[in-house]
Amino acid sequence: MNTNFLNSLTNFLKKRTFEFIGLILISTSIGLAIAFTTYSPEDPSFVYGDREFEIKNFFGIYGSSIADFLLQSFGLVSFLILANFLFWGINLIFQKEIKRIFLKLFFLIFSIISIGCSIESNTKPNIIWIVAEDQSQYFFPYYGDNTIELPNINKLLENGTVYEGMSSPYPVCAPARSSIITGMYPNSIGTGHQRAYNYNREVRPESEHLLEFQYYSSKLAEQIKPFTQILRENGYYTTNNSKQDYNFKLTDEAWDESSREASWENRNNNQPFFSVFNFGVTHESQIWIRDKQELKVNPDSIIVPPVFPNDSIVRHSLAVNYSNIIEMDKQMGKIIDNLIEQDLYDDSYIFFYSDHGGPFPRHKRAIYETGLKVPLIIKFPYSKKVKEDRNYDLLSFIDFAPTILSIAGIEIPAIFQGNAFLGSKESKNKRKYSFSASDRFDEITERKRAVKTKKYKYVRNYDTNQPHAIDNYYRTQMNLMRHLTNLNKLNLLSPEQKLWFKSPKSSEEFYDLENDPFELNNLITDKAFSSQIEELRAQLDNWMIQINDNVDLSEKELIEIITK
């Protein structure tokens, strides 16, 4: 029986030698084509349409090298050749009628699989943003501070990544949010002055009466299509709950819903959604509004950062902020519970971040890392294998817009100044420099520009006649601000703490961020760092030219240009 089968197979192959060789070549070509089009050396996954599947699920390998690519190709080619052998074996063993039935069944199964893959490939992921207002990175346990426990943020890390390098390009909310929605630097589109535009009023308050202009909206910013509008045009349902504050007049096409009731729940069945939830309980104002409420942490257990004196007033203020973060975590838990109950949590991306640095003096409105560096944690769909627990790339808010479009499989507008750091269009170019700026905070102009690498930071101050500790009316409502001002007058601050109040301030600053994370030792005159200083000076100059930064214009002159 075995001899007869082998003889039959040998005769069959002799008669169909060219067909046999042709099918092997076709199988090899198809296998290599599939391997080439789906292989990604930086992303070990099998890409099909808008979805990604781990290569390991198919072949038990990861596509991270040329050897893995060849192994993947070999697996695909071998599979196709074996399939042809199986087909020929059936042709030899079965009668023609049975063979026809088998072929019909085979093509039916193949069609079902193809249709299923096609449907799967058109599925776009849901994306949720959870935004805690006014919080520096270093307040959170994921960055070394174990003062508090945050169980709902912890849950995101079951399949998530902690990002170390995310920074806001401006240390205050409205300019920072303008960069998020447009993918552009605020000082390139006329949205860098805090409270250029106000959604709730037309006349400036008494505290800003010295300004020679009313609220205005930059036409440059208005001409840029918000990334949320692009999502809508590609089938997404977009909601914002509820803060906007983009520092310019945003088009009504940006959101399907923007209110305190806005939610994904009002979308059409199976429609993909992008939903933002802002939590104001951590806002600067809550430091004085919630000052008398019961604390959720013991002030004596808190590590006081070196920018503040270690006394009871400082500890209490820090305890209020930690308590607010705990309350925020509790509130965001309701969003997570709703996603789980509606069977949406597992397959969704969830971003947790803050809109700029912390709510305290020398944090918010400060171009130091305390004002710019924010927490970012991203929970990935459980169908995706997390590549890394922690990421150290330099990232900026201008990267959010292209990244969300990349995750959704949508083309990224060429005008965007940021780069996608996730998704099908992830940029292969890692940022070497991160840029930031400030222009005006409410009633006080405070022009600064800064550039940093992972190790060093260079700051250029334009309004040197005033201290970093600008006399901002809004902030004087905080007991801590009044306390620090009084201690400075009494000469009771340490030399490092007094630097913030120094007037006039230095026109340039340079810091070793690895050894001086709170930027207390200005090395601008240290000749040991002259080459690094010159490098960052040049990079800052080039960036300002590249984005058409009009820092030398008065705001009144700028308004004449950007409102026409």
Side-chain angles (χ1 to χ4, degrees), residues 501-543:
F501 290 93
K502 180 184 176 182
S503 181
K505 57 177 175 279
S506 173
S507 60
E508 293 182 299
E509 301 171 50
F510 181 80
Y511 298 100
D512 180 344
L513 296 178
E514 287 186 356
N515 298 305
D516 181 22
F518 285 95
E519 296 158 280
L520 295 170
N521 183 22
N522 185 5
L523 301 170
I524 194 65
T525 60
D526 192 329
K527 294 182 179 179
F529 298 97
S530 58
S531 62
Q532 292 91 338
I533 292 170
E534 285 304 317
E535 175 193 357
L536 293 187
R537 277 176 179 153
Q539 289 298 327
L540 186 63
D541 289 338
N542 291 339
W543 172 69

Short mmCIF file of all heavy atoms in Angstrom, two decimals, residues 501-543:
data_model
loop_
_atom_site.label_atom_id
_atom_site.label_comp_id
_atom_site.label_asym_id
_atom_site.label_seq_id
_atom_site.Cartn_x
_atom_site.Cartn_y
_atom_site.Cartn_z
N PHE A 501 12.99 84.65 43.97
CA PHE A 501 12.59 86.04 44.24
C PHE A 501 13.64 87.05 43.78
O PHE A 501 13.43 88.27 43.91
CB PHE A 501 12.34 86.23 45.73
CG PHE A 501 11.12 85.53 46.25
CD1 PHE A 501 11.20 84.25 46.77
CD2 PHE A 501 9.87 86.14 46.21
CE1 PHE A 501 10.08 83.59 47.26
CE2 PHE A 501 8.74 85.50 46.69
CZ PHE A 501 8.85 84.22 47.22
N LYS A 502 14.76 86.58 43.27
CA LYS A 502 15.86 87.47 42.92
C LYS A 502 15.47 88.43 41.80
O LYS A 502 14.90 88.04 40.79
CB LYS A 502 17.07 86.64 42.48
CG LYS A 502 18.28 87.47 42.09
CD LYS A 502 19.41 86.57 41.59
CE LYS A 502 20.59 87.40 41.09
NZ LYS A 502 21.68 86.55 40.56
N SER A 503 15.81 89.71 41.99
CA SER A 503 15.55 90.72 40.97
C SER A 503 16.71 91.73 40.96
O SER A 503 17.10 92.24 42.01
CB SER A 503 14.23 91.44 41.25
OG SER A 503 13.96 92.39 40.26
N PRO A 504 17.27 92.00 39.77
CA PRO A 504 16.91 91.40 38.48
C PRO A 504 17.40 89.95 38.39
O PRO A 504 18.34 89.57 39.07
CB PRO A 504 17.64 92.29 37.47
CG PRO A 504 18.82 92.81 38.24
CD PRO A 504 18.36 92.98 39.65
N LYS A 505 16.76 89.20 37.53
CA LYS A 505 17.16 87.81 37.35
C LYS A 505 18.16 87.69 36.21
O LYS A 505 18.29 88.60 35.38
CB LYS A 505 15.95 86.92 37.09
CG LYS A 505 15.08 87.27 35.91
CD LYS A 505 13.96 86.24 35.76
CE LYS A 505 12.97 86.62 34.67
NZ LYS A 505 11.97 87.60 35.12
N SER A 506 18.83 86.58 36.17
CA SER A 506 19.84 86.35 35.14
C SER A 506 19.17 86.26 33.77
O SER A 506 18.05 85.77 33.63
CB SER A 506 20.58 85.04 35.44
OG SER A 506 21.44 84.71 34.38
N SER A 507 19.86 86.74 32.75
CA SER A 507 19.31 86.67 31.39
C SER A 507 19.40 85.25 30.82
O SER A 507 18.67 84.92 29.89
CB SER A 507 20.05 87.64 30.47
OG SER A 507 21.43 87.30 30.41
N GLU A 508 20.29 84.45 31.40
CA GLU A 508 20.44 83.07 30.94
C GLU A 508 20.61 82.15 32.15
O GLU A 508 21.19 82.53 33.17
CB GLU A 508 21.65 82.92 30.03
CG GLU A 508 21.54 83.64 28.70
CD GLU A 508 22.77 83.39 27.85
OE1 GLU A 508 23.87 83.76 28.31
OE2 GLU A 508 22.63 82.81 26.74
N GLU A 509 20.15 80.92 31.98
CA GLU A 509 20.32 79.90 33.02
C GLU A 509 20.65 78.58 32.34
O GLU A 509 20.20 78.30 31.23
CB GLU A 509 19.04 79.76 33.85
CG GLU A 509 18.61 81.04 34.55
CD GLU A 509 17.23 80.92 35.19
OE1 GLU A 509 17.01 79.95 35.94
OE2 GLU A 509 16.37 81.78 34.94
N PHE A 510 21.43 77.77 33.06
CA PHE A 510 21.82 76.46 32.53
C PHE A 510 21.90 75.48 33.69
O PHE A 510 22.51 75.76 34.72
CB PHE A 510 23.17 76.55 31.82
CG PHE A 510 23.64 75.25 31.23
CD1 PHE A 510 23.15 74.81 30.00
CD2 PHE A 510 24.54 74.44 31.91
CE1 PHE A 510 23.56 73.61 29.46
CE2 PHE A 510 24.97 73.24 31.37
CZ PHE A 510 24.47 72.82 30.14
N TYR A 511 21.27 74.30 33.49
CA TYR A 511 21.17 73.34 34.59
C TYR A 511 21.54 71.92 34.13
O TYR A 511 21.27 71.53 33.00
CB TYR A 511 19.75 73.32 35.15
CG TYR A 511 19.33 74.65 35.73
CD1 TYR A 511 18.52 75.53 34.98
CD2 TYR A 511 19.75 75.05 36.98
CE1 TYR A 511 18.16 76.76 35.49
CE2 TYR A 511 19.39 76.28 37.51
CZ TYR A 511 18.59 77.13 36.76
OH TYR A 511 18.24 78.36 37.27
N ASP A 512 22.15 71.21 35.05
CA ASP A 512 22.42 69.79 34.89
C ASP A 512 21.23 69.04 35.50
O ASP A 512 21.16 68.88 36.73
CB ASP A 512 23.72 69.43 35.60
CG ASP A 512 24.09 67.96 35.47
OD1 ASP A 512 23.21 67.15 35.10
OD2 ASP A 512 25.25 67.60 35.76
N LEU A 513 20.29 68.62 34.68
CA LEU A 513 19.05 68.04 35.18
C LEU A 513 19.25 66.71 35.89
O LEU A 513 18.47 66.37 36.79
CB LEU A 513 18.06 67.86 34.02
CG LEU A 513 17.60 69.13 33.32
CD1 LEU A 513 16.67 68.80 32.16
CD2 LEU A 513 16.91 70.07 34.31
N GLU A 514 20.26 65.97 35.52
CA GLU A 514 20.50 64.68 36.18
C GLU A 514 20.93 64.87 37.62
O GLU A 514 20.49 64.13 38.52
CB GLU A 514 21.55 63.89 35.41
CG GLU A 514 21.06 63.30 34.10
CD GLU A 514 22.10 62.41 33.45
OE1 GLU A 514 23.22 62.31 34.00
OE2 GLU A 514 21.79 61.81 32.41
N ASN A 515 21.77 65.86 37.88
CA ASN A 515 22.29 66.09 39.23
C ASN A 515 21.56 67.19 39.98
O ASN A 515 21.76 67.34 41.19
CB ASN A 515 23.78 66.43 39.15
CG ASN A 515 24.59 65.29 38.56
OD1 ASN A 515 24.53 64.16 39.06
ND2 ASN A 515 25.34 65.56 37.51
N ASP A 516 20.72 67.95 39.26
CA ASP A 516 20.03 69.08 39.87
C ASP A 516 18.60 69.14 39.31
O ASP A 516 18.23 70.07 38.59
CB ASP A 516 20.80 70.37 39.56
CG ASP A 516 20.18 71.61 40.17
OD1 ASP A 516 19.42 71.49 41.15
OD2 ASP A 516 20.42 72.72 39.64
N PRO A 517 17.76 68.15 39.63
CA PRO A 517 16.43 68.06 38.99
C PRO A 517 15.50 69.23 39.32
O PRO A 517 14.58 69.50 38.55
CB PRO A 517 15.88 66.74 39.54
CG PRO A 517 16.63 66.49 40.80
CD PRO A 517 18.00 67.04 40.56
N PHE A 518 15.74 69.94 40.44
CA PHE A 518 14.89 71.08 40.79
C PHE A 518 15.47 72.41 40.30
O PHE A 518 14.95 73.48 40.61
CB PHE A 518 14.65 71.13 42.30
CG PHE A 518 13.66 70.10 42.77
CD1 PHE A 518 14.09 68.88 43.26
CD2 PHE A 518 12.29 70.33 42.70
CE1 PHE A 518 13.18 67.92 43.70
CE2 PHE A 518 11.37 69.39 43.12
CZ PHE A 518 11.82 68.17 43.62
N GLU A 519 16.59 72.35 39.56
CA GLU A 519 17.18 73.52 38.90
C GLU A 519 17.45 74.67 39.88
O GLU A 519 16.91 75.76 39.78
CB GLU A 519 16.26 73.99 37.76
CG GLU A 519 16.14 72.95 36.66
CD GLU A 519 14.89 73.12 35.82
OE1 GLU A 519 13.81 72.69 36.28
OE2 GLU A 519 14.99 73.66 34.72
N LEU A 520 18.33 74.38 40.82
CA LEU A 520 18.70 75.35 41.85
C LEU A 520 20.13 75.87 41.69
O LEU A 520 20.50 76.86 42.32
CB LEU A 520 18.54 74.70 43.24
CG LEU A 520 17.11 74.35 43.63
CD1 LEU A 520 17.08 73.51 44.91
CD2 LEU A 520 16.27 75.61 43.80
N ASN A 521 20.92 75.22 40.85
CA ASN A 521 22.32 75.61 40.68
C ASN A 521 22.57 76.04 39.23
O ASN A 521 22.80 75.21 38.35
CB ASN A 521 23.24 74.43 41.06
CG ASN A 521 24.70 74.79 40.98
OD1 ASN A 521 25.08 75.97 41.04
ND2 ASN A 521 25.55 73.78 40.83
N ASN A 522 22.52 77.33 39.00
CA ASN A 522 22.70 77.88 37.66
C ASN A 522 24.17 77.80 37.25
O ASN A 522 25.04 78.44 37.85
CB ASN A 522 22.21 79.33 37.62
CG ASN A 522 22.26 79.91 36.22
OD1 ASN A 522 22.57 79.22 35.25
ND2 ASN A 522 21.93 81.19 36.10
N LEU A 523 24.46 77.03 36.20
CA LEU A 523 25.84 76.79 35.76
C LEU A 523 26.21 77.60 34.53
O LEU A 523 27.17 77.27 33.82
CB LEU A 523 26.01 75.29 35.44
CG LEU A 523 25.72 74.31 36.59
CD1 LEU A 523 25.69 72.87 36.07
CD2 LEU A 523 26.78 74.47 37.69
N ILE A 524 25.50 78.68 34.26
CA ILE A 524 25.68 79.41 33.01
C ILE A 524 27.10 79.99 32.88
O ILE A 524 27.61 80.17 31.77
CB ILE A 524 24.63 80.54 32.87
CG1 ILE A 524 24.61 81.07 31.44
CG2 ILE A 524 24.86 81.63 33.89
CD1 ILE A 524 24.15 80.09 30.42
N THR A 525 27.76 80.28 34.00
CA THR A 525 29.12 80.84 33.93
C THR A 525 30.21 79.79 34.13
O THR A 525 31.40 80.13 34.14
CB THR A 525 29.28 81.93 35.01
OG1 THR A 525 29.07 81.36 36.31
CG2 THR A 525 28.31 83.07 34.78
N ASP A 526 29.81 78.53 34.26
CA ASP A 526 30.77 77.45 34.47
C ASP A 526 31.39 77.06 33.12
O ASP A 526 30.72 76.50 32.25
CB ASP A 526 30.07 76.26 35.12
CG ASP A 526 31.05 75.23 35.64
OD1 ASP A 526 32.14 75.08 35.04
OD2 ASP A 526 30.72 74.53 36.62
N LYS A 527 32.67 77.31 32.95
CA LYS A 527 33.34 77.04 31.68
C LYS A 527 33.40 75.56 31.34
O LYS A 527 33.59 75.19 30.18
CB LYS A 527 34.75 77.63 31.70
CG LYS A 527 34.76 79.16 31.77
CD LYS A 527 36.18 79.69 31.74
CE LYS A 527 36.18 81.22 31.78
NZ LYS A 527 37.57 81.77 31.77
N ALA A 528 33.21 74.71 32.33
CA ALA A 528 33.22 73.26 32.08
C ALA A 528 32.05 72.84 31.19
O ALA A 528 32.09 71.78 30.57
CB ALA A 528 33.17 72.50 33.40
N PHE A 529 31.02 73.69 31.11
CA PHE A 529 29.84 73.36 30.32
C PHE A 529 29.68 74.28 29.11
O PHE A 529 28.59 74.36 28.53
CB PHE A 529 28.58 73.46 31.19
CG PHE A 529 28.56 72.50 32.35
CD1 PHE A 529 28.97 72.92 33.61
CD2 PHE A 529 28.16 71.18 32.18
CE1 PHE A 529 28.95 72.04 34.69
CE2 PHE A 529 28.15 70.30 33.24
CZ PHE A 529 28.55 70.72 34.50
N SER A 530 30.75 74.97 28.72
CA SER A 530 30.64 75.96 27.64
C SER A 530 30.16 75.35 26.33
O SER A 530 29.36 75.95 25.60
CB SER A 530 31.97 76.67 27.44
OG SER A 530 33.00 75.72 27.14
N SER A 531 30.63 74.16 26.00
CA SER A 531 30.22 73.54 24.72
C SER A 531 28.75 73.16 24.76
O SER A 531 28.03 73.34 23.76
CB SER A 531 31.08 72.30 24.43
OG SER A 531 30.91 71.32 25.44
N GLN A 532 28.27 72.64 25.87
CA GLN A 532 26.86 72.27 25.99
C GLN A 532 25.96 73.52 25.95
O GLN A 532 24.89 73.50 25.35
CB GLN A 532 26.61 71.49 27.29
CG GLN A 532 27.23 70.12 27.32
CD GLN A 532 28.63 70.13 27.92
OE1 GLN A 532 29.30 71.17 27.95
NE2 GLN A 532 29.09 68.97 28.39
N ILE A 533 26.42 74.59 26.59
CA ILE A 533 25.65 75.83 26.58
C ILE A 533 25.54 76.39 25.16
O ILE A 533 24.46 76.79 24.72
CB ILE A 533 26.30 76.86 27.53
CG1 ILE A 533 26.15 76.40 28.99
CG2 ILE A 533 25.66 78.25 27.34
CD1 ILE A 533 26.96 77.23 29.98
N GLU A 534 26.67 76.41 24.44
CA GLU A 534 26.64 76.91 23.07
C GLU A 534 25.74 76.06 22.18
O GLU A 534 25.03 76.58 21.31
CB GLU A 534 28.07 76.95 22.50
CG GLU A 534 28.92 78.08 23.05
CD GLU A 534 28.28 79.45 22.83
OE1 GLU A 534 27.75 79.69 21.72
OE2 GLU A 534 28.29 80.26 23.76
N GLU A 535 25.77 74.75 22.38
CA GLU A 535 24.91 73.86 21.59
C GLU A 535 23.44 74.19 21.82
O GLU A 535 22.67 74.32 20.84
CB GLU A 535 25.17 72.40 21.99
CG GLU A 535 24.23 71.41 21.31
CD GLU A 535 24.26 70.03 21.93
OE1 GLU A 535 25.07 69.81 22.87
OE2 GLU A 535 23.47 69.17 21.51
N LEU A 536 23.04 74.36 23.07
CA LEU A 536 21.63 74.62 23.36
C LEU A 536 21.21 76.04 22.96
O LEU A 536 20.07 76.26 22.54
CB LEU A 536 21.34 74.36 24.83
CG LEU A 536 21.47 72.89 25.26
CD1 LEU A 536 21.01 72.69 26.69
CD2 LEU A 536 20.68 71.97 24.33
N ARG A 537 22.12 76.99 23.06
CA ARG A 537 21.82 78.34 22.56
C ARG A 537 21.49 78.28 21.06
O ARG A 537 20.49 78.86 20.60
CB ARG A 537 23.02 79.25 22.77
CG ARG A 537 23.16 79.87 24.14
CD ARG A 537 24.45 80.67 24.21
NE ARG A 537 24.65 81.32 25.50
CZ ARG A 537 25.83 81.62 26.01
NH1 ARG A 537 26.94 81.32 25.30
NH2 ARG A 537 25.94 82.21 27.18
N ALA A 538 22.34 77.58 20.33
CA ALA A 538 22.14 77.48 18.87
C ALA A 538 20.84 76.74 18.55
O ALA A 538 20.11 77.15 17.63
CB ALA A 538 23.33 76.76 18.24
N GLN A 539 20.56 75.68 19.27
CA GLN A 539 19.32 74.93 19.03
C GLN A 539 18.09 75.79 19.31
O GLN A 539 17.11 75.73 18.57
CB GLN A 539 19.29 73.67 19.89
CG GLN A 539 20.28 72.60 19.46
CD GLN A 539 20.01 72.08 18.07
OE1 GLN A 539 18.86 72.01 17.62
NE2 GLN A 539 21.07 71.70 17.37
N LEU A 540 18.15 76.59 20.36
CA LEU A 540 17.02 77.46 20.68
C LEU A 540 16.83 78.51 19.60
O LEU A 540 15.70 78.77 19.16
CB LEU A 540 17.24 78.12 22.04
CG LEU A 540 16.07 78.95 22.57
CD1 LEU A 540 14.84 78.08 22.79
CD2 LEU A 540 16.44 79.68 23.86
N ASP A 541 17.91 79.11 19.15
CA ASP A 541 17.82 80.11 18.08
C ASP A 541 17.22 79.50 16.81
O ASP A 541 16.34 80.11 16.17
CB ASP A 541 19.21 80.67 17.76
CG ASP A 541 19.75 81.57 18.86
OD1 ASP A 541 18.93 82.09 19.64
OD2 ASP A 541 20.99 81.74 18.94
N ASN A 542 17.69 78.33 16.44
CA ASN A 542 17.20 77.68 15.23
C ASN A 542 15.71 77.36 15.35
O ASN A 542 14.95 77.52 14.38
CB ASN A 542 17.99 76.39 14.97
CG ASN A 542 19.42 76.66 14.56
OD1 ASN A 542 19.75 77.75 14.09
ND2 ASN A 542 20.29 75.68 14.74
N TRP A 543 15.30 76.87 16.51
CA TRP A 543 13.89 76.54 16.72
C TRP A 543 13.01 77.78 16.59
O TRP A 543 11.96 77.74 15.95
CB TRP A 543 13.72 75.91 18.10
CG TRP A 543 12.29 75.71 18.52
CD1 TRP A 543 11.39 74.83 17.98
CD2 TRP A 543 11.62 76.39 19.58
NE1 TRP A 543 10.19 74.92 18.64
CE2 TRP A 543 10.30 75.87 19.63
CE3 TRP A 543 11.98 77.38 20.49
CZ2 TRP A 543 9.35 76.32 20.56
CZ3 TRP A 543 11.05 77.82 21.41
CH2 TRP A 543 9.76 77.30 21.43
#
